[in-house]
Amino acid sequence: ETGVTQTPRHLVMGMTNKKSLKCEQHLGHNAMYWYKQSAKKPLELMFVYNFKEQTENNSVPSRFSPECPNSSHLFLHLHTLQPEDSALYLCASSQDLWVGNQPQHFGDGTRLSIL
Amino acid sequence: GQNIDQPTEMTATEGAIVQINCTYQTSGFNGLFWYQQHAGEAPTFLSYNVLDGLEEKGRFSSFLSRSKGYSYLLLKELQMKDSASYLCAVRDREDSNYQLIWGAGTKLIIKP
């Protein structure tokens, strides 16, 4: 139990569907992150939120739309995805953005498959 | 540019010792993290180094040399449950948000 919960664990969707990924952290952290993890590749940072405000968007296509209603919850809304978007999507949180030794705490991820 | 290199896969024997290396190139080094990730699970934090030297934590130790852009994770008395991927990540203060730059991970296979 990492304190970061992601749902669903697995998702299969067609390219025209709309779905959302959910992340909730129970650690009282102020910063939350979305990452994409593809096989044998480094984690790709997608979005960063600090105190509910988006601070980073790493040139992510608009078919991925994040939402952070409060410091404990983070969503990733998906629309008209492509087959190359199939990957493990990881949510993470940390106490703050800028404190050097603060680790990020990850959820188990959502395994997304695009048909 | 920013770059992290670590071996793709390593194999070791139960009870033995294994060293996983990580080399990095960043413009503003601000700390190095090691994470463990079992298949289908969340990456979990193992260690943090910001000064040169060895940090020991039970069976796991992590070493850093800032001048060489080099770190290693040392695992002693290997157990079957240590079979996992090990991720190296560097924090770069040149990034506006001090974000982590990640390696692709080293898959460690432990054999009986």
Side-chain angles (χ1 to χ4, degrees):
Chain A
E1 179 60 48
T2 65
V4 181
T5 303
Q6 289 187 245
T7 54
R9 291 295 311 274
H10 302 274
L11 179 61
V12 179
M13 57 187 286
M15 288 191 285
T16 58
N17 291 158
K18 288 184 181 180
K19 295 286 185 182
S20 295
L21 310 184
K22 179 182 177 182
C23 175
E24 182 175 2
Q25 57 98 357
H26 309 275
L27 301 168
H29 288 169
N30 300 315
M32 296 188 77
Y33 313 78
W34 278 117
Y35 284 95
K36 176 183 180 181
Q37 187 176 37
S38 302
K40 299 184 179 180
K41 290 185 176 181
L43 288 178
E44 297 175 45
L45 180 65
M46 301 175 71
F47 301 103
V48 180
Y49 280 82
N50 192 37
F51 291 98
K52 304 188 301 177
E53 299 298 319
Q54 188 180 124
T55 61
E56 188 119 1
N57 174 339
N58 263 0
S59 303
V60 179
S62 59
R63 57 186 184 268
F64 295 92
S65 174
E67 178 189 0
C68 188
N70 54 60
S71 292
S72 299
H73 293 85
L74 187 63
F75 295 89
L76 188 62
H77 303 299
L78 315 173
H79 178 49
T80 59
L81 295 192
Q82 304 299 309
E84 61 265 28
D85 297 324
S86 296
L88 181 68
Y89 289 84
L90 291 165
C91 173
S93 70
S94 64
Q95 185 62 55
D96 296 290
L97 275 183
W98 301 282
V99 179
N101 64 346
Q102 294 290 329
Q104 293 179 9
H105 297 254
F106 287 84
D108 286 332
T110 296
R111 174 67 63 185
L112 178 65
S113 298
I114 307 301
L115 301 178
Chain B
Q2 301 167 329
N3 194 45
I4 307 272
D5 286 313
Q6 47 181 138
T8 303
E9 187 173 300
M10 298 181 71
T11 302
T13 304
E14 189 177 16
I17 298 173
V18 71
Q19 178 175 310
I20 303 174
N21 295 326
C22 172
T23 58
Y24 63 87
Q25 295 173 328
T26 60
S27 48
F29 177 82
N30 191 241
L32 185 144
F33 294 82
W34 283 98
Y35 282 79
Q36 179 191 60
Q37 185 179 23
H38 286 101
E41 296 183 12
T44 55
F45 169 71
L46 290 177
S47 68
Y48 172 76
N49 295 71
V50 67
L51 299 177
D52 291 348
L54 188 68
E55 295 281 343
E56 297 186 76
K57 195 183 289 185
R59 293 189 298 115
F60 292 8
S61 303
S62 56
F63 172 83
L64 175 67
S65 169
R66 289 172 295 170
S67 63
K68 295 182 180 178
Y70 168 69
S71 173
Y72 66 73
L73 181 69
L74 190 71
L75 290 74
K76 302 177 184 177
E77 302 170 15
L78 287 170
Q79 301 175 10
M80 298 303 293
K81 67 178 182 178
D82 297 329
S83 291
S85 288
Y86 292 85
L87 311 180
C88 173
V90 172
R91 191 186 300 280
D92 185 351
R93 63 172 172 265
E94 295 296 319
D95 180 278
S96 60
N97 284 314
Y98 282 55
Q99 289 314 315
L100 296 179
I101 305 159
W102 294 84
T106 298
K107 182 178 180 180
L108 178 63
I109 300 168
I110 308 299
K111 295 186 175 179

Tab-separated table of all heavy atoms in Angstrom, chain A residues 3-33:
chain	number	residue	atom	x	y	z
A	3	GLY	N	-0.227	4.450	-0.553
A	3	GLY	CA	-0.930	5.678	-0.229
A	3	GLY	C	-1.454	6.398	-1.463
A	3	GLY	O	-2.067	7.454	-1.342
A	4	VAL	N	-1.183	5.842	-2.640
A	4	VAL	CA	-1.676	6.418	-3.887
A	4	VAL	C	-2.491	5.335	-4.601
A	4	VAL	O	-1.955	4.262	-4.884
A	4	VAL	CB	-0.519	6.892	-4.789
A	4	VAL	CG1	-1.063	7.509	-6.084
A	4	VAL	CG2	0.349	7.903	-4.047
A	5	THR	N	-3.754	5.618	-4.846
A	5	THR	CA	-4.666	4.630	-5.425
A	5	THR	C	-5.100	5.062	-6.813
A	5	THR	O	-5.551	6.199	-7.002
A	5	THR	CB	-5.913	4.473	-4.538
A	5	THR	OG1	-5.508	4.116	-3.216
A	5	THR	CG2	-6.827	3.381	-5.092
A	6	GLN	N	-4.953	4.146	-7.768
A	6	GLN	CA	-5.358	4.441	-9.138
A	6	GLN	C	-6.462	3.483	-9.571
A	6	GLN	O	-6.397	2.284	-9.285
A	6	GLN	CB	-4.178	4.301	-10.106
A	6	GLN	CG	-3.149	5.385	-9.979
A	6	GLN	CD	-2.094	5.310	-11.068
A	6	GLN	OE1	-0.922	5.064	-10.811
A	6	GLN	NE2	-2.528	5.536	-12.312
A	7	THR	N	-7.443	4.009	-10.271
A	7	THR	CA	-8.495	3.191	-10.863
A	7	THR	C	-8.807	3.684	-12.271
A	7	THR	O	-8.670	4.879	-12.555
A	7	THR	CB	-9.794	3.257	-10.024
A	7	THR	OG1	-10.160	4.628	-9.850
A	7	THR	CG2	-9.606	2.586	-8.673
A	8	PRO	N	-9.173	2.760	-13.179
A	8	PRO	CA	-9.121	1.314	-13.014
A	8	PRO	C	-7.699	0.791	-13.131
A	8	PRO	O	-6.802	1.518	-13.533
A	8	PRO	CB	-9.987	0.826	-14.185
A	8	PRO	CG	-9.750	1.847	-15.257
A	8	PRO	CD	-9.619	3.169	-14.535
A	9	ARG	N	-7.471	-0.468	-12.803
A	9	ARG	CA	-6.145	-1.064	-12.982
A	9	ARG	C	-5.894	-1.421	-14.440
A	9	ARG	O	-4.755	-1.376	-14.902
A	9	ARG	CB	-6.004	-2.311	-12.118
A	9	ARG	CG	-5.945	-2.051	-10.622
A	9	ARG	CD	-4.676	-1.268	-10.224
A	9	ARG	NE	-3.455	-1.812	-10.772
A	9	ARG	CZ	-2.749	-2.785	-10.222
A	9	ARG	NH1	-3.143	-3.334	-9.101
A	9	ARG	NH2	-1.631	-3.210	-10.789
A	10	HIS	N	-6.946	-1.787	-15.127
A	10	HIS	CA	-6.835	-2.147	-16.543
A	10	HIS	C	-7.970	-1.471	-17.307
A	10	HIS	O	-9.093	-1.374	-16.806
A	10	HIS	CB	-6.924	-3.664	-16.746
A	10	HIS	CG	-5.894	-4.428	-15.995
A	10	HIS	ND1	-4.630	-4.673	-16.485
A	10	HIS	CD2	-5.923	-4.988	-14.760
A	10	HIS	CE1	-3.932	-5.355	-15.606
A	10	HIS	NE2	-4.691	-5.553	-14.542
A	11	LEU	N	-7.657	-1.030	-18.532
A	11	LEU	CA	-8.669	-0.383	-19.365
A	11	LEU	C	-8.395	-0.700	-20.823
A	11	LEU	O	-7.275	-0.505	-21.302
A	11	LEU	CB	-8.642	1.133	-19.143
A	11	LEU	CG	-9.628	1.972	-19.953
A	11	LEU	CD1	-11.067	1.578	-19.633
A	11	LEU	CD2	-9.415	3.454	-19.683
A	12	VAL	N	-9.418	-1.208	-21.499
A	12	VAL	CA	-9.343	-1.448	-22.931
A	12	VAL	C	-10.386	-0.551	-23.586
A	12	VAL	O	-11.544	-0.544	-23.174
A	12	VAL	CB	-9.630	-2.925	-23.279
A	12	VAL	CG1	-9.563	-3.137	-24.797
A	12	VAL	CG2	-8.646	-3.847	-22.570
A	13	MET	N	-9.964	0.219	-24.551
A	13	MET	CA	-10.905	1.128	-25.196
A	13	MET	C	-10.609	1.270	-26.687
A	13	MET	O	-9.467	1.066	-27.129
A	13	MET	CB	-10.892	2.501	-24.515
A	13	MET	CG	-9.560	3.192	-24.463
A	13	MET	SD	-9.575	4.707	-23.464
A	13	MET	CE	-10.470	5.827	-24.536
A	14	GLY	N	-11.650	1.606	-27.413
A	14	GLY	CA	-11.498	1.877	-28.831
A	14	GLY	C	-11.019	3.297	-29.038
A	14	GLY	O	-11.038	4.129	-28.119
A	15	MET	N	-10.579	3.582	-30.241
A	15	MET	CA	-9.992	4.895	-30.525
A	15	MET	C	-11.006	6.028	-30.437
A	15	MET	O	-10.638	7.181	-30.251
A	15	MET	CB	-9.315	4.870	-31.892
A	15	MET	CG	-8.024	4.058	-31.906
A	15	MET	SD	-7.059	4.274	-33.400
A	15	MET	CE	-8.014	3.307	-34.544
A	16	THR	N	-12.288	5.704	-30.533
A	16	THR	CA	-13.283	6.776	-30.500
A	16	THR	C	-13.927	6.958	-29.129
A	16	THR	O	-14.760	7.830	-28.935
A	16	THR	CB	-14.397	6.509	-31.535
A	16	THR	OG1	-14.997	5.237	-31.238
A	16	THR	CG2	-13.815	6.487	-32.940
A	17	ASN	N	-13.540	6.110	-28.181
A	17	ASN	CA	-14.160	6.187	-26.846
A	17	ASN	C	-13.637	7.372	-26.048
A	17	ASN	O	-12.588	7.943	-26.349
A	17	ASN	CB	-13.853	4.909	-26.052
A	17	ASN	CG	-14.554	3.689	-26.613
A	17	ASN	OD1	-14.121	2.571	-26.380
A	17	ASN	ND2	-15.633	3.896	-27.337
A	18	LYS	N	-14.394	7.696	-24.989
A	18	LYS	CA	-13.940	8.650	-23.982
A	18	LYS	C	-13.936	7.934	-22.639
A	18	LYS	O	-14.952	7.339	-22.262
A	18	LYS	CB	-14.899	9.849	-23.879
A	18	LYS	CG	-14.866	10.815	-25.015
A	18	LYS	CD	-15.803	11.993	-24.714
A	18	LYS	CE	-15.815	12.985	-25.858
A	18	LYS	NZ	-16.723	14.129	-25.566
A	19	LYS	N	-12.828	8.020	-21.942
A	19	LYS	CA	-12.724	7.403	-20.622
A	19	LYS	C	-11.876	8.314	-19.738
A	19	LYS	O	-11.200	9.227	-20.224
A	19	LYS	CB	-12.039	6.028	-20.704
A	19	LYS	CG	-12.819	4.982	-21.479
A	19	LYS	CD	-14.016	4.480	-20.694
A	19	LYS	CE	-14.714	3.346	-21.446
A	19	LYS	NZ	-15.925	2.877	-20.720
A	20	SER	N	-11.915	8.030	-18.436
A	20	SER	CA	-11.101	8.800	-17.495
A	20	SER	C	-10.352	7.881	-16.550
A	20	SER	O	-10.886	6.858	-16.111
A	20	SER	CB	-11.987	9.751	-16.687
A	20	SER	OG	-12.577	10.716	-17.524
A	21	LEU	N	-9.125	8.257	-16.239
A	21	LEU	CA	-8.334	7.585	-15.214
A	21	LEU	C	-8.401	8.432	-13.946
A	21	LEU	O	-8.376	9.657	-14.005
A	21	LEU	CB	-6.881	7.430	-15.654
A	21	LEU	CG	-6.627	6.834	-17.036
A	21	LEU	CD1	-5.127	6.652	-17.264
A	21	LEU	CD2	-7.370	5.541	-17.228
A	22	LYS	N	-8.450	7.730	-12.804
A	22	LYS	CA	-8.558	8.433	-11.534
A	22	LYS	C	-7.384	8.098	-10.629
A	22	LYS	O	-6.898	6.957	-10.616
A	22	LYS	CB	-9.861	8.041	-10.828
A	22	LYS	CG	-10.060	8.705	-9.472
A	22	LYS	CD	-11.333	8.233	-8.818
A	22	LYS	CE	-11.500	8.834	-7.422
A	22	LYS	NZ	-12.727	8.353	-6.743
A	23	CYS	N	-6.945	9.099	-9.887
A	23	CYS	CA	-5.860	8.918	-8.919
A	23	CYS	C	-6.246	9.640	-7.638
A	23	CYS	O	-6.726	10.783	-7.680
A	23	CYS	CB	-4.553	9.470	-9.475
A	23	CYS	SG	-3.173	9.425	-8.319
A	24	GLU	N	-6.017	8.982	-6.513
A	24	GLU	CA	-6.274	9.595	-5.214
A	24	GLU	C	-5.099	9.318	-4.293
A	24	GLU	O	-4.644	8.179	-4.204
A	24	GLU	CB	-7.568	9.040	-4.614
A	24	GLU	CG	-7.947	9.663	-3.279
A	24	GLU	CD	-9.290	9.176	-2.772
A	24	GLU	OE1	-9.922	8.332	-3.427
A	24	GLU	OE2	-9.715	9.659	-1.694
A	25	GLN	N	-4.615	10.340	-3.613
A	25	GLN	CA	-3.520	10.124	-2.665
A	25	GLN	C	-3.983	10.479	-1.251
A	25	GLN	O	-4.706	11.457	-1.050
A	25	GLN	CB	-2.262	10.907	-3.074
A	25	GLN	CG	-2.429	12.404	-3.226
A	25	GLN	CD	-1.993	13.215	-2.043
A	25	GLN	OE1	-1.591	12.673	-1.005
A	25	GLN	NE2	-2.073	14.531	-2.153
A	26	HIS	N	-3.549	9.626	-0.306
A	26	HIS	CA	-3.957	9.764	1.094
A	26	HIS	C	-2.776	10.167	1.963
A	26	HIS	O	-2.707	9.807	3.141
A	26	HIS	CB	-4.524	8.421	1.584
A	26	HIS	CG	-5.572	7.849	0.695
A	26	HIS	ND1	-6.899	8.198	0.791
A	26	HIS	CD2	-5.493	6.959	-0.329
A	26	HIS	CE1	-7.585	7.527	-0.117
A	26	HIS	NE2	-6.776	6.780	-0.815
A	27	LEU	N	-1.823	10.878	1.378
A	27	LEU	CA	-0.564	11.190	2.059
A	27	LEU	C	-0.461	12.649	2.468
A	27	LEU	O	0.556	13.053	3.037
A	27	LEU	CB	0.609	10.812	1.145
A	27	LEU	CG	0.658	9.336	0.735
A	27	LEU	CD1	1.663	9.125	-0.391
A	27	LEU	CD2	1.007	8.472	1.942
A	28	GLY	N	-1.447	13.458	2.118
A	28	GLY	CA	-1.387	14.878	2.442
A	28	GLY	C	-0.375	15.651	1.618
A	28	GLY	O	0.110	16.707	2.047
A	29	HIS	N	-0.043	15.111	0.455
A	29	HIS	CA	0.947	15.757	-0.402
A	29	HIS	C	0.349	16.920	-1.192
A	29	HIS	O	-0.864	16.989	-1.407
A	29	HIS	CB	1.532	14.736	-1.389
A	29	HIS	CG	2.449	13.753	-0.728
A	29	HIS	ND1	2.904	12.621	-1.378
A	29	HIS	CD2	3.009	13.726	0.500
A	29	HIS	CE1	3.708	11.951	-0.557
A	29	HIS	NE2	3.783	12.605	0.581
A	30	ASN	N	1.247	17.829	-1.638
A	30	ASN	CA	0.796	19.006	-2.372
A	30	ASN	C	0.994	18.904	-3.875
A	30	ASN	O	0.390	19.652	-4.629
A	30	ASN	CB	1.550	20.240	-1.869
A	30	ASN	CG	1.303	20.479	-0.397
A	30	ASN	OD1	0.167	20.410	0.065
A	30	ASN	ND2	2.358	20.739	0.353
A	31	ALA	N	1.870	18.021	-4.316
A	31	ALA	CA	2.178	17.894	-5.736
A	31	ALA	C	1.728	16.533	-6.270
A	31	ALA	O	1.872	15.522	-5.576
A	31	ALA	CB	3.676	18.056	-5.974
A	32	MET	N	1.175	16.524	-7.482
A	32	MET	CA	0.744	15.279	-8.117
A	32	MET	C	1.204	15.257	-9.570
A	32	MET	O	1.335	16.318	-10.204
A	32	MET	CB	-0.771	15.103	-8.025
A	32	MET	CG	-1.261	14.952	-6.582
A	32	MET	SD	-2.994	14.513	-6.448
A	32	MET	CE	-2.950	12.762	-6.857
A	33	TYR	N	1.421	14.044	-10.088
A	33	TYR	CA	2.035	13.866	-11.400
A	33	TYR	C	1.328	12.767	-12.183
A	33	TYR	O	0.880	11.784	-11.606
A	33	TYR	CB	3.505	13.437	-11.250
A	33	TYR	CG	4.337	14.213	-10.263
A	33	TYR	CD1	4.241	13.989	-8.895
A	33	TYR	CD2	5.260	15.165	-10.708
A	33	TYR	CE1	5.014	14.694	-7.989
A	33	TYR	CE2	6.046	15.862	-9.809
A	33	TYR	CZ	5.913	15.628	-8.451
A	33	TYR	OH	6.700	16.335	-7.555
